[in-house]
Amino acid sequence: MWKAPDPKRRLRDRALLLTGFAGGFRRSELAGFDLRDLSFTAEGLVLFVAGSKTDQERRGEEVGIQAVPTSPLCAVTAVSVWLAARGDMPGPLFCRIDRGGHLTYSLDGRRQSIDTKTVARPVKRVIKGTGLAEGEFSGHSLRAGMMTAADRKGVPLEAAMQHGRWKDARTARGYRRHSSLWQGNFTGKLLAD
């Protein structure tokens, strides 16, 4: 029997999902964020990605997520609410939570970070509630979903690539799921009577 996650876990998972989608983050990036990697500005939220698959020199990059306070899907609001529950103790942004709903600590007294598998669990939980094929989605679906949504909204590929930190246009195009192919497509009219 499925049991709803405890309130603290729901807040963390909501912030995790919305941040992952809005930022086009990889699972490893989400699991690796520390509280010190985050800052708020008048425009929204800035997350510092210390290193990633496409940043082998580990120079790091900042990713901005705009606040949309009128939207129930605002990642900035979700992170703010999560931080109020999490507290301001240094350590991982997205902390591990035990079955009792408590933040877990390592032997040295630091909060424990989630692992990359933890990113997939809330994705699958949300998908399960929609009736879609749960097995077709993973933590990586947040990144792919950002690119697909950007494409559907008419965001130029170059802008989406920069935001998602893709270096290769061919790879980035593979994430678009071809949604823009059908916007304004006239080929059906060529064959219509």
Side-chain angles (χ1 to χ4, degrees):
M1 183 169 123
W2 183 78
K3 181 183 169 196
D6 64 83
K8 204 171 271 189
R9 181 166 299 165
R10 277 197 307 268
L11 295 177
R12 182 204 63 197
D13 289 354
R14 180 175 178 74
L16 179 72
L17 291 172
L18 293 174
T19 301
F21 175 77
F25 293 114
R26 295 174 178 89
R27 293 168 291 193
S28 60
E29 293 167 348
L30 287 166
F33 282 131
D34 195 275
L35 194 58
R36 69 178 174 256
D37 297 327
L38 168 130
S39 60
F40 290 95
T41 68
E43 294 81 13
L45 169 68
V46 177
L47 284 159
F48 180 72
V49 181
S52 67
K53 184 177 172 181
T54 57
D55 179 22
Q56 299 299 315
E57 296 83 32
R58 304 201 60 82
R59 292 183 193 141
E61 294 181 70
E62 289 184 325
V63 176
I65 298 174
Q66 290 181 331
V68 187
T70 57
S71 172
L73 302 177
C74 178
V76 178
T77 301
V79 169
S80 296
V81 171
W82 161 238
L83 289 176
R86 179 202 177 280
D88 60 1
M89 181 183 210
L93 173 59
F94 298 114
C95 309
R96 189 174 290 174
I97 299 173
D98 67 18
R99 292 178 186 223
H102 304 97
L103 301 177
T104 62
Y105 296 86
S106 60
L107 294 175
D108 65 0
R110 284 185 47 87
R111 290 199 173 145
Q112 291 181 310
S113 179
I114 60 170
D115 59 26
T116 57
K117 292 177 186 172
T118 302
V119 176
R121 287 185 196 116
V123 170
K124 290 186 178 290
R125 193 168 43 248
V126 168
I127 293 301
K128 188 175 188 174
T130 67
L132 294 171
E134 185 182 336
E136 294 180 24
F137 295 86
S138 68
H140 196 66
S141 297
L142 298 171
R143 184 167 169 76
M146 183 280 293
M147 181 57 94
T148 301
D151 187 48
R152 286 186 178 153
K153 296 287 186 176
V155 175
L157 178 64
E158 296 76 21
M161 283 178 60
Q162 181 179 359
H163 183 74
R165 295 151 331 278
W166 277 279
K167 304 296 183 210
D168 180 58
R170 187 176 197 181
T171 303
R173 276 191 209 97
Y175 283 85
R176 291 178 16 168
R177 307 297 191 254
H178 303 293
S179 57
S180 63
L181 291 176
W182 310 114
Q183 292 177 351
N185 191 304
F186 61 86
T187 56
K189 292 178 184 177
L190 295 176
L191 304 174
D193 292 340

